[in-house]
Amino acid sequence: MKIISISNNKGGVGKTTTTVNVAAALHIMGKKVLVIDMDHQAQATYHFGINPNKVVDSIYNVLKGEKNYQDIIIKRKGIDLFPANPEMKNVEFLPIPAKEFLLKEALEGLTGYDYVLIDCPPSLGVLTLNALAISEFILVPLQAQFLPFHGMYNLFEAVQMVKKRINRNVEVAGIIGTMYNPKKSINREVMEETEKRLPGKLFSTFIRENVALQEAPSWGKTIFEYKPESNGAEDYMALTGEIIARFDLMSPA
Ligand SMILES: Nc1ncnc2c1ncn2[C@@H]1O[C@H](COP(=O)(O)OP(=O)(O)O)[C@@H](O)[C@H]1O
Ligand SMILES: [Mg+2]
């Protein structure tokens, strides 16, 4: 079972879009997939067609120890989901020590999945630390539009700290170029610069700018359900093939 956090402390870079559509591609490839929505904005939950405001028992109840994870699973067309809801932001204020290990403790004994994908919020707060504490890999979506290296260095620095104190087995498996438009020179420059500064991290599949990817969440559908012929579907399928191959290289077994 491979546990993967999709994380970047910047918002709007394609984390949720990547989580949902890579999960969907893995499912199409025959893998057993679980998605954990760790963002109180609950966009992944919404993208899967579930209204977060109607989610009574979310991953938050599991973090608080009120529910077992088995009791909150939503089974959605072959993909399992631990949903989020807005009250999750209160996790920061729970009067419990060692809050970064709540997810790890709650998911003790979790089995039966090939891939667990965790959609992280756009910060390095408690919810992200909980995700990183149980992850083997981190995937970092990088919006191709401008040079966001400062933020990325923060993330890499944070990962070093997490390795030291929370989970020494976690690694940044790769950077995913999102919202890519090959006609814009800035997009190409960002990707070239990324490859130069962090050699070998960038996946060769870039996710192109694609309206269907933007529309799919409002229909509560993955890109493969909404527009299987779109560039978005093609790119996420290719990317997922590349991700699987890289994970297998990084942790054979
Ligand atoms: N490749 C893409 N082309 C066009 N729009 C995209 C693409 N990827 C994501 N988006 C849109 O950009 C916005 C931010 O993406 P999202 O995945 O929610 O980012 P994050 O989870 O990092 O905040 C959303 O409206 C999403 O639909
Ligand atoms: Mg998101």
Side-chain angles (χ1 to χ4, degrees), residues 8 10-19 39 41 43 47 119-120 122 141 143 177-180 207-217 232 235-236:
N8 184 329
K10 236 187 103 36
V13 296
K15 288 183 293 294
T16 301
T17 308
T18 298
T19 304
D39 188 354
Q41 293 184 47
Q43 299 284 346
H47 199 150
D119 189 23
C120 292
Q143 197 183 349
T178 60
M179 305 179 211
Y180 186 73
I207 308 302
R208 286 167 286 180
E209 223 168 30
N210 182 240
V211 179
L213 283 173
Q214 212 174 348
E215 292 168 347
D235 293 346
Y236 271 111

PDB file of all heavy atoms in Angstrom, residues 8 10-19 39 41 43 47 119-120 122 141 143 177-180 207-217 232 235-236, ligand 1:
ATOM      1  N   ASN A   8       1.229  21.273  -1.521  1.00  0.00           N
ATOM      2  CA  ASN A   8       1.966  22.479  -1.874  1.00  0.00           C
ATOM      3  C   ASN A   8       1.336  23.551  -1.008  1.00  0.00           C
ATOM      4  O   ASN A   8       0.109  23.628  -0.922  1.00  0.00           O
ATOM      5  CB  ASN A   8       1.789  22.795  -3.365  1.00  0.00           C
ATOM      6  CG  ASN A   8       2.616  24.005  -3.796  1.00  0.00           C
ATOM      7  OD1 ASN A   8       2.854  24.915  -3.016  1.00  0.00           O
ATOM      8  ND2 ASN A   8       3.046  23.998  -5.039  1.00  0.00           N
ATOM      9  N   LYS A  10       1.003  26.495  -1.422  1.00  0.00           N
ATOM     10  CA  LYS A  10       0.236  27.487  -2.180  1.00  0.00           C
ATOM     11  C   LYS A  10      -1.126  26.910  -2.559  1.00  0.00           C
ATOM     12  O   LYS A  10      -1.240  25.719  -2.842  1.00  0.00           O
ATOM     13  CB  LYS A  10       0.990  27.837  -3.453  1.00  0.00           C
ATOM     14  CG  LYS A  10       1.268  29.335  -3.578  1.00  0.00           C
ATOM     15  CD  LYS A  10       1.857  29.674  -4.910  1.00  0.00           C
ATOM     16  CE  LYS A  10       0.904  30.305  -5.887  1.00  0.00           C
ATOM     17  NZ  LYS A  10      -0.096  31.209  -5.395  1.00  0.00           N
ATOM     18  N   GLY A  11      -2.148  27.762  -2.582  1.00  0.00           N
ATOM     19  CA  GLY A  11      -3.468  27.321  -3.028  1.00  0.00           C
ATOM     20  C   GLY A  11      -3.617  27.529  -4.534  1.00  0.00           C
ATOM     21  O   GLY A  11      -2.862  28.284  -5.141  1.00  0.00           O
ATOM     22  N   GLY A  12      -4.571  26.841  -5.117  1.00  0.00           N
ATOM     23  CA  GLY A  12      -4.890  27.059  -6.526  1.00  0.00           C
ATOM     24  C   GLY A  12      -3.858  26.561  -7.509  1.00  0.00           C
ATOM     25  O   GLY A  12      -3.782  27.041  -8.635  1.00  0.00           O
ATOM     26  N   VAL A  13      -3.050  25.587  -7.113  1.00  0.00           N
ATOM     27  CA  VAL A  13      -2.001  25.087  -8.014  1.00  0.00           C
ATOM     28  C   VAL A  13      -2.370  23.763  -8.675  1.00  0.00           C
ATOM     29  O   VAL A  13      -1.610  23.239  -9.497  1.00  0.00           O
ATOM     30  CB  VAL A  13      -0.650  24.924  -7.283  1.00  0.00           C
ATOM     31  CG1 VAL A  13      -0.129  26.281  -6.806  1.00  0.00           C
ATOM     32  CG2 VAL A  13      -0.755  23.957  -6.120  1.00  0.00           C
ATOM     33  N   GLY A  14      -3.531  23.200  -8.296  1.00  0.00           N
ATOM     34  CA  GLY A  14      -3.955  21.944  -8.913  1.00  0.00           C
ATOM     35  C   GLY A  14      -3.851  20.728  -8.009  1.00  0.00           C
ATOM     36  O   GLY A  14      -3.879  19.590  -8.504  1.00  0.00           O
ATOM     37  N   LYS A  15      -3.745  20.935  -6.708  1.00  0.00           N
ATOM     38  CA  LYS A  15      -3.656  19.785  -5.791  1.00  0.00           C
ATOM     39  C   LYS A  15      -4.899  18.905  -5.886  1.00  0.00           C
ATOM     40  O   LYS A  15      -4.810  17.697  -6.068  1.00  0.00           O
ATOM     41  CB  LYS A  15      -3.524  20.264  -4.328  1.00  0.00           C
ATOM     42  CG  LYS A  15      -2.186  20.867  -3.975  1.00  0.00           C
ATOM     43  CD  LYS A  15      -2.112  21.244  -2.496  1.00  0.00           C
ATOM     44  CE  LYS A  15      -3.049  22.380  -2.129  1.00  0.00           C
ATOM     45  NZ  LYS A  15      -2.727  23.673  -2.749  1.00  0.00           N
ATOM     46  N   THR A  16      -6.058  19.537  -5.704  1.00  0.00           N
ATOM     47  CA  THR A  16      -7.294  18.758  -5.650  1.00  0.00           C
ATOM     48  C   THR A  16      -7.596  18.119  -7.000  1.00  0.00           C
ATOM     49  O   THR A  16      -7.981  16.940  -7.072  1.00  0.00           O
ATOM     50  CB  THR A  16      -8.449  19.662  -5.189  1.00  0.00           C
ATOM     51  OG1 THR A  16      -8.130  20.186  -3.902  1.00  0.00           O
ATOM     52  CG2 THR A  16      -9.761  18.908  -5.122  1.00  0.00           C
ATOM     53  N   THR A  17      -7.427  18.883  -8.065  1.00  0.00           N
ATOM     54  CA  THR A  17      -7.653  18.358  -9.416  1.00  0.00           C
ATOM     55  C   THR A  17      -6.771  17.138  -9.659  1.00  0.00           C
ATOM     56  O   THR A  17      -7.218  16.127 -10.226  1.00  0.00           O
ATOM     57  CB  THR A  17      -7.332  19.461 -10.450  1.00  0.00           C
ATOM     58  OG1 THR A  17      -8.065  20.641 -10.089  1.00  0.00           O
ATOM     59  CG2 THR A  17      -7.702  19.027 -11.855  1.00  0.00           C
ATOM     60  N   THR A  18      -5.524  17.229  -9.190  1.00  0.00           N
ATOM     61  CA  THR A  18      -4.586  16.118  -9.363  1.00  0.00           C
ATOM     62  C   THR A  18      -4.977  14.924  -8.503  1.00  0.00           C
ATOM     63  O   THR A  18      -4.991  13.780  -8.978  1.00  0.00           O
ATOM     64  CB  THR A  18      -3.152  16.602  -9.025  1.00  0.00           C
ATOM     65  OG1 THR A  18      -2.800  17.635  -9.954  1.00  0.00           O
ATOM     66  CG2 THR A  18      -2.146  15.466  -9.109  1.00  0.00           C
ATOM     67  N   THR A  19      -5.338  15.172  -7.255  1.00  0.00           N
ATOM     68  CA  THR A  19      -5.722  14.070  -6.352  1.00  0.00           C
ATOM     69  C   THR A  19      -6.882  13.274  -6.955  1.00  0.00           C
ATOM     70  O   THR A  19      -6.821  12.040  -7.075  1.00  0.00           O
ATOM     71  CB  THR A  19      -6.168  14.620  -4.977  1.00  0.00           C
ATOM     72  OG1 THR A  19      -5.130  15.422  -4.442  1.00  0.00           O
ATOM     73  CG2 THR A  19      -6.494  13.490  -4.019  1.00  0.00           C
ATOM     74  N   ASP A  39      -8.512  18.649   3.538  1.00  0.00           N
ATOM     75  CA  ASP A  39      -8.665  20.104   3.445  1.00  0.00           C
ATOM     76  C   ASP A  39     -10.048  20.505   3.955  1.00  0.00           C
ATOM     77  O   ASP A  39     -11.055  19.964   3.487  1.00  0.00           O
ATOM     78  CB  ASP A  39      -8.493  20.532   1.983  1.00  0.00           C
ATOM     79  CG  ASP A  39      -8.432  22.045   1.830  1.00  0.00           C
ATOM     80  OD1 ASP A  39      -8.628  22.767   2.833  1.00  0.00           O
ATOM     81  OD2 ASP A  39      -8.203  22.491   0.695  1.00  0.00           O
ATOM     82  N   GLN A  41     -11.654  22.953   3.255  1.00  0.00           N
ATOM     83  CA  GLN A  41     -12.466  23.485   2.159  1.00  0.00           C
ATOM     84  C   GLN A  41     -13.181  22.373   1.393  1.00  0.00           C
ATOM     85  O   GLN A  41     -14.050  22.652   0.560  1.00  0.00           O
ATOM     86  CB  GLN A  41     -11.600  24.313   1.217  1.00  0.00           C
ATOM     87  CG  GLN A  41     -11.102  25.576   1.890  1.00  0.00           C
ATOM     88  CD  GLN A  41     -10.326  26.463   0.933  1.00  0.00           C
ATOM     89  OE1 GLN A  41     -10.759  26.710  -0.183  1.00  0.00           O
ATOM     90  NE2 GLN A  41      -9.172  26.891   1.365  1.00  0.00           N
ATOM     91  N   GLN A  43     -12.781  20.453  -1.093  1.00  0.00           N
ATOM     92  CA  GLN A  43     -12.948  20.514  -2.551  1.00  0.00           C
ATOM     93  C   GLN A  43     -12.888  19.128  -3.204  1.00  0.00           C
ATOM     94  O   GLN A  43     -13.547  18.900  -4.215  1.00  0.00           O
ATOM     95  CB  GLN A  43     -11.871  21.408  -3.178  1.00  0.00           C
ATOM     96  CG  GLN A  43     -11.891  22.865  -2.712  1.00  0.00           C
ATOM     97  CD  GLN A  43     -13.003  23.670  -3.350  1.00  0.00           C
ATOM     98  OE1 GLN A  43     -13.608  23.234  -4.314  1.00  0.00           O
ATOM     99  NE2 GLN A  43     -13.264  24.842  -2.809  1.00  0.00           N
ATOM    100  N   HIS A  47     -15.678  17.612  -5.473  1.00  0.00           N
ATOM    101  CA  HIS A  47     -15.332  17.149  -6.823  1.00  0.00           C
ATOM    102  C   HIS A  47     -15.873  15.734  -7.089  1.00  0.00           C
ATOM    103  O   HIS A  47     -16.241  15.400  -8.215  1.00  0.00           O
ATOM    104  CB  HIS A  47     -13.805  17.179  -6.992  1.00  0.00           C
ATOM    105  CG  HIS A  47     -13.338  17.175  -8.414  1.00  0.00           C
ATOM    106  ND1 HIS A  47     -12.179  17.771  -8.801  1.00  0.00           N
ATOM    107  CD2 HIS A  47     -13.851  16.651  -9.536  1.00  0.00           C
ATOM    108  CE1 HIS A  47     -12.017  17.618 -10.099  1.00  0.00           C
ATOM    109  NE2 HIS A  47     -13.011  16.932 -10.571  1.00  0.00           N
ATOM    110  N   ASP A 119      -5.400  14.542  -0.184  1.00  0.00           N
ATOM    111  CA  ASP A 119      -5.459  15.924  -0.677  1.00  0.00           C
ATOM    112  C   ASP A 119      -5.216  16.867   0.501  1.00  0.00           C
ATOM    113  O   ASP A 119      -6.003  16.899   1.441  1.00  0.00           O
ATOM    114  CB  ASP A 119      -6.837  16.190  -1.298  1.00  0.00           C
ATOM    115  CG  ASP A 119      -6.876  17.527  -2.017  1.00  0.00           C
ATOM    116  OD1 ASP A 119      -5.810  18.029  -2.416  1.00  0.00           O
ATOM    117  OD2 ASP A 119      -7.987  18.069  -2.196  1.00  0.00           O
ATOM    118  N   CYS A 120      -4.116  17.614   0.437  1.00  0.00           N
ATOM    119  CA  CYS A 120      -3.724  18.474   1.554  1.00  0.00           C
ATOM    120  C   CYS A 120      -4.243  19.899   1.377  1.00  0.00           C
ATOM    121  O   CYS A 120      -4.428  20.367   0.265  1.00  0.00           O
ATOM    122  CB  CYS A 120      -2.206  18.518   1.679  1.00  0.00           C
ATOM    123  SG  CYS A 120      -1.478  16.958   2.195  1.00  0.00           S
ATOM    124  N   PRO A 122      -3.823  24.096   1.609  1.00  0.00           N
ATOM    125  CA  PRO A 122      -2.712  24.938   1.152  1.00  0.00           C
ATOM    126  C   PRO A 122      -1.972  25.615   2.307  1.00  0.00           C
ATOM    127  O   PRO A 122      -1.849  26.824   2.336  1.00  0.00           O
ATOM    128  CB  PRO A 122      -3.419  25.969   0.270  1.00  0.00           C
ATOM    129  CG  PRO A 122      -4.780  26.067   0.839  1.00  0.00           C
ATOM    130  CD  PRO A 122      -5.117  24.721   1.411  1.00  0.00           C
ATOM    131  N   PRO A 141       2.187  19.544  -6.957  1.00  0.00           N
ATOM    132  CA  PRO A 141       1.738  20.228  -8.168  1.00  0.00           C
ATOM    133  C   PRO A 141       2.339  21.632  -8.217  1.00  0.00           C
ATOM    134  O   PRO A 141       2.403  22.324  -7.196  1.00  0.00           O
ATOM    135  CB  PRO A 141       0.218  20.308  -8.016  1.00  0.00           C
ATOM    136  CG  PRO A 141      -0.120  19.362  -6.923  1.00  0.00           C
ATOM    137  CD  PRO A 141       1.083  19.322  -6.029  1.00  0.00           C
ATOM    138  N   GLN A 143       2.151  25.129 -10.469  1.00  0.00           N
ATOM    139  CA  GLN A 143       1.454  25.864 -11.529  1.00  0.00           C
ATOM    140  C   GLN A 143       2.492  26.504 -12.434  1.00  0.00           C
ATOM    141  O   GLN A 143       3.393  27.189 -11.963  1.00  0.00           O
ATOM    142  CB  GLN A 143       0.584  26.923 -10.881  1.00  0.00           C
ATOM    143  CG  GLN A 143      -0.477  27.458 -11.798  1.00  0.00           C
ATOM    144  CD  GLN A 143      -1.265  28.571 -11.126  1.00  0.00           C
ATOM    145  OE1 GLN A 143      -1.140  28.780  -9.923  1.00  0.00           O
ATOM    146  NE2 GLN A 143      -2.039  29.269 -11.910  1.00  0.00           N
ATOM    147  N   GLY A 177       3.898  19.559 -13.272  1.00  0.00           N
ATOM    148  CA  GLY A 177       3.595  20.828 -13.935  1.00  0.00           C
ATOM    149  C   GLY A 177       2.110  20.872 -14.290  1.00  0.00           C
ATOM    150  O   GLY A 177       1.617  20.008 -15.010  1.00  0.00           O
ATOM    151  N   THR A 178       1.381  21.859 -13.743  1.00  0.00           N
ATOM    152  CA  THR A 178      -0.066  21.941 -13.991  1.00  0.00           C
ATOM    153  C   THR A 178      -0.423  23.227 -14.738  1.00  0.00           C
ATOM    154  O   THR A 178       0.357  24.182 -14.750  1.00  0.00           O
ATOM    155  CB  THR A 178      -0.852  21.925 -12.664  1.00  0.00           C
ATOM    156  OG1 THR A 178      -0.456  23.047 -11.878  1.00  0.00           O
ATOM    157  CG2 THR A 178      -0.610  20.644 -11.876  1.00  0.00           C
ATOM    158  N   MET A 179      -1.606  23.229 -15.329  1.00  0.00           N
ATOM    159  CA  MET A 179      -2.140  24.400 -16.048  1.00  0.00           C
ATOM    160  C   MET A 179      -1.134  24.905 -17.068  1.00  0.00           C
ATOM    161  O   MET A 179      -0.897  26.101 -17.212  1.00  0.00           O
ATOM    162  CB  MET A 179      -2.527  25.511 -15.063  1.00  0.00           C
ATOM    163  CG  MET A 179      -3.507  25.001 -14.010  1.00  0.00           C
ATOM    164  SD  MET A 179      -3.969  26.268 -12.825  1.00  0.00           S
ATOM    165  CE  MET A 179      -4.231  25.267 -11.369  1.00  0.00           C
ATOM    166  N   TYR A 180      -0.556  23.963 -17.772  1.00  0.00           N
ATOM    167  CA  TYR A 180       0.534  24.259 -18.702  1.00  0.00           C
ATOM    168  C   TYR A 180      -0.012  24.704 -20.050  1.00  0.00           C
ATOM    169  O   TYR A 180      -0.917  24.083 -20.602  1.00  0.00           O
ATOM    170  CB  TYR A 180       1.388  22.997 -18.867  1.00  0.00           C
ATOM    171  CG  TYR A 180       2.632  23.211 -19.686  1.00  0.00           C
ATOM    172  CD1 TYR A 180       3.708  23.911 -19.152  1.00  0.00           C
ATOM    173  CD2 TYR A 180       2.729  22.704 -20.983  1.00  0.00           C
ATOM    174  CE1 TYR A 180       4.859  24.114 -19.900  1.00  0.00           C
ATOM    175  CE2 TYR A 180       3.882  22.898 -21.729  1.00  0.00           C
ATOM    176  CZ  TYR A 180       4.939  23.604 -21.182  1.00  0.00           C
ATOM    177  OH  TYR A 180       6.072  23.806 -21.919  1.00  0.00           O
ATOM    178  N   ILE A 207       0.387  18.730 -17.171  1.00  0.00           N
ATOM    179  CA  ILE A 207      -1.068  18.817 -17.292  1.00  0.00           C
ATOM    180  C   ILE A 207      -1.380  20.142 -17.979  1.00  0.00           C
ATOM    181  O   ILE A 207      -1.125  21.209 -17.422  1.00  0.00           O
ATOM    182  CB  ILE A 207      -1.759  18.757 -15.906  1.00  0.00           C
ATOM    183  CG1 ILE A 207      -1.286  17.531 -15.102  1.00  0.00           C
ATOM    184  CG2 ILE A 207      -3.279  18.768 -16.089  1.00  0.00           C
ATOM    185  CD1 ILE A 207      -1.513  16.184 -15.765  1.00  0.00           C
ATOM    186  N   ARG A 208      -1.888  20.038 -19.198  1.00  0.00           N
ATOM    187  CA  ARG A 208      -2.167  21.267 -19.948  1.00  0.00           C
ATOM    188  C   ARG A 208      -3.372  22.007 -19.369  1.00  0.00           C
ATOM    189  O   ARG A 208      -4.245  21.398 -18.730  1.00  0.00           O
ATOM    190  CB  ARG A 208      -2.439  20.920 -21.416  1.00  0.00           C
ATOM    191  CG  ARG A 208      -1.198  20.540 -22.181  1.00  0.00           C
ATOM    192  CD  ARG A 208      -1.537  19.912 -23.509  1.00  0.00           C
ATOM    193  NE  ARG A 208      -2.033  18.534 -23.343  1.00  0.00           N
ATOM    194  CZ  ARG A 208      -2.394  17.752 -24.358  1.00  0.00           C
ATOM    195  NH1 ARG A 208      -2.369  18.203 -25.594  1.00  0.00           N
ATOM    196  NH2 ARG A 208      -2.811  16.513 -24.126  1.00  0.00           N
ATOM    197  N   GLU A 209      -3.393  23.297 -19.631  1.00  0.00           N
ATOM    198  CA  GLU A 209      -4.557  24.111 -19.309  1.00  0.00           C
ATOM    199  C   GLU A 209      -5.733  23.507 -20.057  1.00  0.00           C
ATOM    200  O   GLU A 209      -5.621  23.239 -21.255  1.00  0.00           O
ATOM    201  CB  GLU A 209      -4.310  25.520 -19.848  1.00  0.00           C
ATOM    202  CG  GLU A 209      -4.685  26.623 -18.940  1.00  0.00           C
ATOM    203  CD  GLU A 209      -4.119  27.948 -19.448  1.00  0.00           C
ATOM    204  OE1 GLU A 209      -3.967  28.121 -20.662  1.00  0.00           O
ATOM    205  OE2 GLU A 209      -3.822  28.778 -18.612  1.00  0.00           O
ATOM    206  N   ASN A 210      -6.827  23.268 -19.390  1.00  0.00           N
ATOM    207  CA  ASN A 210      -7.919  22.548 -20.019  1.00  0.00           C
ATOM    208  C   ASN A 210      -9.235  22.909 -19.345  1.00  0.00           C
ATOM    209  O   ASN A 210      -9.405  22.693 -18.142  1.00  0.00           O
ATOM    210  CB  ASN A 210      -7.633  21.035 -19.923  1.00  0.00           C
ATOM    211  CG  ASN A 210      -8.682  20.197 -20.596  1.00  0.00           C
ATOM    212  OD1 ASN A 210      -9.323  19.371 -19.957  1.00  0.00           O
ATOM    213  ND2 ASN A 210      -8.885  20.399 -21.871  1.00  0.00           N
ATOM    214  N   VAL A 211     -10.145  23.467 -20.114  1.00  0.00           N
ATOM    215  CA  VAL A 211     -11.415  23.947 -19.552  1.00  0.00           C
ATOM    216  C   VAL A 211     -12.206  22.796 -18.926  1.00  0.00           C
ATOM    217  O   VAL A 211     -12.853  22.966 -17.884  1.00  0.00           O
ATOM    218  CB  VAL A 211     -12.266  24.645 -20.639  1.00  0.00           C
ATOM    219  CG1 VAL A 211     -13.581  25.121 -20.064  1.00  0.00           C
ATOM    220  CG2 VAL A 211     -11.499  25.816 -21.221  1.00  0.00           C
ATOM    221  N   ALA A 212     -12.148  21.617 -19.545  1.00  0.00           N
ATOM    222  CA  ALA A 212     -12.914  20.478 -19.018  1.00  0.00           C
ATOM    223  C   ALA A 212     -12.481  20.150 -17.588  1.00  0.00           C
ATOM    224  O   ALA A 212     -13.310  19.790 -16.746  1.00  0.00           O
ATOM    225  CB  ALA A 212     -12.752  19.265 -19.930  1.00  0.00           C
ATOM    226  N   LEU A 213     -11.193  20.296 -17.308  1.00  0.00           N
ATOM    227  CA  LEU A 213     -10.706  20.035 -15.947  1.00  0.00           C
ATOM    228  C   LEU A 213     -11.317  21.017 -14.956  1.00  0.00           C
ATOM    229  O   LEU A 213     -11.585  20.685 -13.806  1.00  0.00           O
ATOM    230  CB  LEU A 213      -9.177  20.135 -15.882  1.00  0.00           C
ATOM    231  CG  LEU A 213      -8.384  18.951 -16.433  1.00  0.00           C
ATOM    232  CD1 LEU A 213      -6.902  19.280 -16.461  1.00  0.00           C
ATOM    233  CD2 LEU A 213      -8.631  17.686 -15.614  1.00  0.00           C
ATOM    234  N   GLN A 214     -11.545  22.219 -15.443  1.00  0.00           N
ATOM    235  CA  GLN A 214     -12.111  23.264 -14.600  1.00  0.00           C
ATOM    236  C   GLN A 214     -13.610  23.052 -14.391  1.00  0.00           C
ATOM    237  O   GLN A 214     -14.150  23.364 -13.331  1.00  0.00           O
ATOM    238  CB  GLN A 214     -11.885  24.594 -15.299  1.00  0.00           C
ATOM    239  CG  GLN A 214     -11.692  25.753 -14.404  1.00  0.00           C
ATOM    240  CD  GLN A 214     -11.320  26.987 -15.225  1.00  0.00           C
ATOM    241  OE1 GLN A 214     -11.012  26.906 -16.418  1.00  0.00           O
ATOM    242  NE2 GLN A 214     -11.374  28.126 -14.591  1.00  0.00           N
ATOM    243  N   GLU A 215     -14.267  22.506 -15.402  1.00  0.00           N
ATOM    244  CA  GLU A 215     -15.725  22.322 -15.334  1.00  0.00           C
ATOM    245  C   GLU A 215     -16.134  21.076 -14.541  1.00  0.00           C
ATOM    246  O   GLU A 215     -17.193  21.063 -13.898  1.00  0.00           O
ATOM    247  CB  GLU A 215     -16.289  22.191 -16.756  1.00  0.00           C
ATOM    248  CG  GLU A 215     -16.195  23.472 -17.567  1.00  0.00           C
ATOM    249  CD  GLU A 215     -16.478  23.244 -19.055  1.00  0.00           C
ATOM    250  OE1 GLU A 215     -16.497  22.066 -19.509  1.00  0.00           O
ATOM    251  OE2 GLU A 215     -16.656  24.243 -19.770  1.00  0.00           O
ATOM    252  N   ALA A 216     -15.302  20.042 -14.617  1.00  0.00           N
ATOM    253  CA  ALA A 216     -15.688  18.735 -14.060  1.00  0.00           C
ATOM    254  C   ALA A 216     -16.154  18.782 -12.598  1.00  0.00           C
ATOM    255  O   ALA A 216     -17.144  18.115 -12.251  1.00  0.00           O
ATOM    256  CB  ALA A 216     -14.546  17.735 -14.239  1.00  0.00           C
ATOM    257  N   PRO A 217     -15.488  19.571 -11.719  1.00  0.00           N
ATOM    258  CA  PRO A 217     -15.915  19.557 -10.309  1.00  0.00           C
ATOM    259  C   PRO A 217     -17.374  19.951 -10.101  1.00  0.00           C
ATOM    260  O   PRO A 217     -18.064  19.351  -9.266  1.00  0.00           O
ATOM    261  CB  PRO A 217     -14.987  20.577  -9.627  1.00  0.00           C
ATOM    262  CG  PRO A 217     -13.794  20.676 -10.509  1.00  0.00           C
ATOM    263  CD  PRO A 217     -14.277  20.399 -11.908  1.00  0.00           C
ATOM    264  N   GLY A 232      -7.283  16.956 -20.731  1.00  0.00           N
ATOM    265  CA  GLY A 232      -7.129  16.721 -19.296  1.00  0.00           C
ATOM    266  C   GLY A 232      -7.111  15.234 -18.974  1.00  0.00           C
ATOM    267  O   GLY A 232      -6.280  14.768 -18.187  1.00  0.00           O
ATOM    268  N   ASP A 235      -3.851  13.727 -20.320  1.00  0.00           N
ATOM    269  CA  ASP A 235      -2.675  14.096 -19.523  1.00  0.00           C
ATOM    270  C   ASP A 235      -2.662  13.375 -18.180  1.00  0.00           C
ATOM    271  O   ASP A 235      -1.626  12.873 -17.748  1.00  0.00           O
ATOM    272  CB  ASP A 235      -2.635  15.614 -19.294  1.00  0.00           C
ATOM    273  CG  ASP A 235      -2.396  16.382 -20.590  1.00  0.00           C
ATOM    274  OD1 ASP A 235      -2.003  15.751 -21.597  1.00  0.00           O
ATOM    275  OD2 ASP A 235      -2.612  17.613 -20.594  1.00  0.00           O
ATOM    276  N   TYR A 236      -3.829  13.320 -17.509  1.00  0.00           N
ATOM    277  CA  TYR A 236      -3.831  12.669 -16.199  1.00  0.00           C
ATOM    278  C   TYR A 236      -3.595  11.157 -16.311  1.00  0.00           C
ATOM    279  O   TYR A 236      -2.990  10.552 -15.430  1.00  0.00           O
ATOM    280  CB  TYR A 236      -5.106  13.003 -15.409  1.00  0.00           C
ATOM    281  CG  TYR A 236      -4.895  14.271 -14.596  1.00  0.00           C
ATOM    282  CD1 TYR A 236      -5.563  15.444 -14.901  1.00  0.00           C
ATOM    283  CD2 TYR A 236      -3.972  14.294 -13.540  1.00  0.00           C
ATOM    284  CE1 TYR A 236      -5.341  16.615 -14.172  1.00  0.00           C
ATOM    285  CE2 TYR A 236      -3.748  15.446 -12.813  1.00  0.00           C
ATOM    286  CZ  TYR A 236      -4.426  16.601 -13.127  1.00  0.00           C
ATOM    287  OH  TYR A 236      -4.176  17.749 -12.403  1.00  0.00           O
TER     288      TYR A 236
HETATM  289  N1  LIG B   1      -5.040  21.933 -15.967  1.00  0.00           N
HETATM  290  C1  LIG B   1      -5.978  22.819 -15.617  1.00  0.00           C
HETATM  291  N2  LIG B   1      -6.529  23.628 -16.549  1.00  0.00           N
HETATM  292  C2  LIG B   1      -7.465  24.556 -16.200  1.00  0.00           C
HETATM  293  N3  LIG B   1      -7.931  24.741 -14.957  1.00  0.00           N
HETATM  294  C3  LIG B   1      -7.422  23.962 -13.980  1.00  0.00           C
HETATM  295  C4  LIG B   1      -6.428  22.966 -14.260  1.00  0.00           C
HETATM  296  N4  LIG B   1      -6.115  22.350 -13.085  1.00  0.00           N
HETATM  297  C5  LIG B   1      -6.872  22.934 -12.128  1.00  0.00           C
HETATM  298  N5  LIG B   1      -7.649  23.903 -12.655  1.00  0.00           N
HETATM  299  C6  LIG B   1      -8.579  24.796 -11.937  1.00  0.00           C
HETATM  300  O1  LIG B   1      -7.816  25.688 -11.152  1.00  0.00           O
HETATM  301  C7  LIG B   1      -8.412  25.897  -9.874  1.00  0.00           C
HETATM  302  C8  LIG B   1      -7.456  25.453  -8.768  1.00  0.00           C
HETATM  303  O2  LIG B   1      -7.243  24.050  -8.865  1.00  0.00           O
HETATM  304  P1  LIG B   1      -7.293  23.105  -7.586  1.00  0.00           P
HETATM  305  O3  LIG B   1      -7.024  21.713  -8.040  1.00  0.00           O
HETATM  306  O4  LIG B   1      -8.539  23.336  -6.826  1.00  0.00           O
HETATM  307  O5  LIG B   1      -6.042  23.667  -6.768  1.00  0.00           O
HETATM  308  P2  LIG B   1      -5.642  23.499  -5.231  1.00  0.00           P
HETATM  309  O6  LIG B   1      -6.269  22.242  -4.739  1.00  0.00           O
HETATM  310  O7  LIG B   1      -4.150  23.439  -5.261  1.00  0.00           O
HETATM  311  O8  LIG B   1      -6.147  24.715  -4.522  1.00  0.00           O
HETATM  312  C9  LIG B   1      -9.710  25.113  -9.900  1.00  0.00           C
HETATM  313  O9  LIG B   1     -10.742  25.975 -10.303  1.00  0.00           O
HETATM  314  C10 LIG B   1      -9.470  24.050 -10.963  1.00  0.00           C
HETATM  315  O10 LIG B   1     -10.673  23.617 -11.576  1.00  0.00           O
END
